[in-house]
Amino acid sequence: MSDVVLFEERPTSHGKTIAIATLNAPKALNAVSHEMVERLLPRLRLWAEDPAVAVVVLRGAGDRAFCAGGDLHGLYRGLTTGDMTPAPGLPVPASVEGFFAEEYRLDHLIHTYPKPLLCWGNGVVMGGGMGLMVGASHRVVTEQSRLAMPEIAIGLFPDVGGSWFLNQVPDGVGLFLALTASQLRAADALFAGWADHHVTHAHYAQVLDAMVAQEWGDDRAANDVTLTRILTEAETPPEPATGPLESHMPALREICAGETLEQIVGAIHHAAGADPWLYSANANLKAGAPGTARLAFELLRRTQGWSLADVFRLELEVALHCSAQPDIREGIRALLIDKDKSPKWHPASLGDADAEWVERFFVPIYEAENHPLRDL
C-alpha cells in the first residue's frame, strides 16, 4: 500500500475521532502527485460521511513544507514520456487530463467540506499546496510559512482555484501576486485572507492534544466554534506584525488600477526602484513567462463574480490548453530537469502574448454534459 499519504484516526476523550492526513513526500517538499490525490479523495469522502469523525486535519510531513506545489517531475514525464493516449480534442495525454481533473476535484471538496477541516500550513505552501490550503475552514500559518502562486516561473497559470481566490485579495492586488510570484509570510497571509491563525510550529502537538481532549458533538457550527477557540488560545502575533504586502498596499492599489495588462506591468517595472521587495517582485515578473502573465490577467478579469465550481471547470480546460503549449514543458525543464534557469519562452514577449494570442486557451474542450467536473 502506498505511503505517499499517511492516515491516522485519533480517538478523543469523549467518543469522537480526530482524523489526520499527512502528505508524506518530505524530500519533494510534499509536492502533490496524482497518487496523493487518488489516496486523499476517497479518504476525505469517507471521513465526511463517518459520524465518528469530528474534525479532519491536513498537514505535511517534515518541518520544511506543507506542500510546495504540484508534482512537476511527474507532470513533465506525463507530457513527454508517459502514456500519450490523447485527451479529447487535444494533443495532451489522458493521464495529464486525469491529474488536473482529480486535483481540482479534491480542492473543490476541501472548499465545500461538511466538517471542520484544519490545514496546518507550515513552511512552504505554494501552487498546488495553496489549492489544498485556502479552501479549508481553519487555516494555520506558522513562523516558517511561505505562501505563493509561482506558476509564472514554469509557464502554467495560477490554477487550483487561483482564479477565484486571487480575486478575493483586497483591492485587486491578487493580480500582482499572480504576476510576480511574491511570497507571503504569516502576517501577509492573514492580511490577504489566505490564513486564519498564526500558531508556532512547535505548538502543533499541543493543539492536537487540545483537540483530543475536547468534547465534540454532531453540530457543524458548534464544532467550528470549538476549533476556532482552540486555535485562538494557541495563537500568537506573527513577527513582523505587518508584512510587505500590507505595507505596500497604497502603491499596489495604484499599480493594479491600470486598465490593461501593459499598464500594470509597466507600473510594476516603474515602481521597483530601490525597494527590495518590489525589486524582487519585478525580477520574478521579468524572468517569468509572458504568456502566463497574459493568461493570469485574462482569467482574473473574466471570472470575477463566478462561482467556485465554474472557475474550476474553466481552469481545467485552460490547464489542458496550457499542457498542449510549449511553455510548461520548457519552464519545468529549465527549473527542474536541466536546471539551467534559462527558459526560452514562447511567446517571448508581452507584445507577442497579446489579446488575440490568449484566445486559444478559452476554446471550449467539453460539452457541458461531458465535462469531467460537471457535478461539482
Side-chain angles (χ1 to χ4, degrees), residues 18-22 44 47 55-59 116-120 204 208 211:
I18 306 300
I20 306 165
T22 302
L44 289 183
W47 284 340
V55 178
V56 171
V57 178
L58 185 58
R59 62 188 295 265
L117 196 158
L118 165 61
C119 181
W120 193 267
Y204 170 76
L208 191 58
M211 293 166 63

Side-chain angles (χ1 to χ4, degrees), residues 61-106:
D63 294 326
R64 297 172 60 198
F66 163 61
C67 174
D71 175 18
L72 297 181
H73 285 282
L75 179 58
Y76 188 81
R77 288 193 300 271
L79 290 170
T80 56
T81 62
D83 178 5
M84 301 306 287
T85 304
L90 280 176
V92 175
S95 61
V96 172
E97 176 194 35
F99 169 67
F100 280 118
E102 292 303 286
E103 182 187 21
Y104 297 174
R105 182 176 293 280
L106 173 62

